[in-house]
Amino acid sequence: MRVVHSPLHARHQGGKELHRGELVPCFESPARAELILEAVRRAGFEVSEPRALSAQELLGVHDAGFVDFLRTAHAEWRAAGKEGFMIPSAFPARGLRQDRVPAGLNGRMGFYCFDPGTPIVEGTWDAALAAAGCAVTAAELVAEGAPSAYALCRPPGHHAGHAVYGGYCFLNNAALAAQRLRELGLARVAVLDVDAHHGNGTQEIFWERADVLYVSLHGTPETDYPYFLGWADERGAGAGEGFTRNLPLPRDARWPEYAAALEEALEAVGRFGAGALVVSLGVDTFAGDPISPIALGAEHFPLLGARLASLRLPTVIVQEGGYAVADIGGNVLGVLNGFERGGD
């Protein structure tokens, strides 16, 4: 399996998030990617850097005004005499208008963001664009004939929607990979999200499309982030009705419950008839993760990888969450090794 990774991820660091009433250092840190990179290199995987991606190439998934905001926000912040990281303080919630983009920077920040836990720092755009490049490059490798590729993306992406960022995510890496596979001629692509948290952004992007199936296993929105999407009755709309499938799990679900939901997800992907699979891989399903609603053991990640491989589809694996930093490299490697063995 080819691994695609950019060192530019390290430019996104130094911000803080508002977590349960406290301003704390972000759980999403550069150490996550560095420890995964160390683990995959030690295991002998070939690692290469992505091709450069232009902002124009993002527009198949993201709104142009949103992309321009992300590209220029921190420079505008600095030009206004501000320093440090940016987090919003007001959002267009129920009863407030959502059809007008404010002219002021603070208003635009709240318009384009949905939480106060996703800071923008000076290097955020460089890191986010490079992460998107990792996913697109991995998709291109698979479209060219590689059986699988792993995009070691940071920052993650599945919470980023068409014109909104949050949940540590700025650009939707998995959606960009799926879109690129479609552009390269695959008629149908499935996105299977196994992160512990619902990929609200991916769901929104493909909500009205029948060419991309979105299936997600995640902690129930009754108690877990992002709270306001991820219910089982969300199934798409218009042409996309029936092409979204959510399998929410009870808090602290263990492997037996998770494995049963995974089989449902695999069956849905099989029925769809996809020509390729994109996996949003979060290892924040680990019991030791500080923000996990699911409780898998390290021994379960190779089993997950093997079950993903059982679909026998060309596969792009895109890194999402995982915040038990000391264990993240081994857990990701468990999935990749399980996938490799499962495909034998």
Side-chain angles (χ1 to χ4, degrees):
M1 182 185 300
R2 294 277 295 278
V3 176
V4 186
H5 173 68
S6 172
L8 293 180
H9 82 90
R11 295 189 182 181
H12 177 62
Q13 63 175 313
K16 291 187 177 182
E17 63 175 289
L18 190 62
H19 177 70
R20 297 175 182 171
E22 293 184 277
L23 199 60
V24 300
C26 289
F27 289 101
E28 202 292 292
S29 68
R32 299 174 59 250
E34 295 299 334
L35 288 167
I36 296 170
L37 182 64
E38 179 183 326
V40 297
R41 280 185 167 153
R42 191 168 58 245
F45 286 88
E46 178 187 349
V47 180
S48 58
E49 293 193 20
R51 70 169 178 86
L53 200 66
S54 70
Q56 186 69 25
E57 292 179 89
L58 304 173
L59 303 186
V61 163
H62 291 294
D63 171 75
F66 170 67
V67 169
D68 192 57
F69 168 79
L70 290 178
R71 185 178 61 82
T72 62
H74 200 269
E76 189 175 344
W77 177 261
R78 293 295 301 273
K82 307 286 185 67
E83 295 187 0
F85 61 94
M86 303 168 58
I87 56 172
S89 56
F91 306 90
R94 287 186 303 278
L96 302 179
R97 290 186 66 169
Q98 300 181 6
D99 62 330
R100 298 289 296 269
V101 183
L105 180 59
N106 286 302
R108 275 181 288 136
M109 197 188 329
F111 182 85
Y112 285 125
C113 189
F114 68 84
D115 71 13
T118 308
I120 292 177
V121 300
E122 185 175 8
T124 295
W125 171 251
D126 291 340
L129 187 62
C134 290
V136 169
T137 300
E140 290 170 347
L141 289 170
V142 167
E144 291 165 4
S148 61
Y150 168 56
L152 205 183
C153 297
R154 182 186 171 269
H158 72 151
H159 293 304
H162 176 65
V164 67
Y165 71 98
Y168 308 141
C169 303
F170 300 94
L171 299 170
N172 195 308
N173 306 314
L176 287 160
Q179 178 65 21
R180 187 61 180 143
L181 290 168
R182 286 287 294 110
E183 292 167 356
L184 293 171
L186 281 85
R188 288 187 158 199
V189 177
V191 180
L192 176 52
D193 193 328
V194 296
D195 188 276
H197 305 94
H198 180 250
N200 57 286
T202 313
Q203 174 171 298
E204 182 239 341
I205 287 165
F206 297 121
W207 184 248
E208 296 185 355
R209 288 175 56 170
D211 58 333
V212 178
L213 173 73
Y214 178 67
V215 185
S216 177
L217 291 73
H218 51 268
T220 175
E222 286 277 11
T223 55
D224 293 297
Y225 188 93
Y227 305 111
F228 308 113
L229 279 180
W231 301 93
D233 63 355
E234 297 161 18
R235 297 184 57 81
E241 186 172 355
F243 294 97
T244 291
R245 180 77 185 275
N246 286 305
L247 299 164
L249 293 158
R251 177 160 266 278
D252 295 327
R254 267 56 174 183
W255 177 251
E257 296 161 294
Y258 189 89
L262 178 62
E263 292 309 308
E264 285 191 58
L266 296 174
E267 289 171 10
V269 172
R271 288 193 302 269
F272 178 64
L277 175 68
V278 176
V279 177
S280 273
L281 174 62
V283 292
D284 47 359
T285 49
F286 181 53
D289 195 283
I291 56 174
S292 178
I294 295 172
L296 303 188
E299 70 275 15
H300 298 128
F301 291 110
L303 302 178
L304 170 61
R307 294 308 297 141
L308 295 172
S310 73
L311 289 168
R312 305 290 175 178
L313 287 172
T315 300
V316 180
I317 299 175
V318 178
Q319 187 62 47
E320 302 286 0
Y323 308 100
V325 177
D327 300 282
I328 191 170
N331 289 340
V332 169
L333 190 60
V335 176
L336 300 185
N337 283 337
F339 186 92
E340 294 274 85
R341 288 193 296 268
D344 292 341

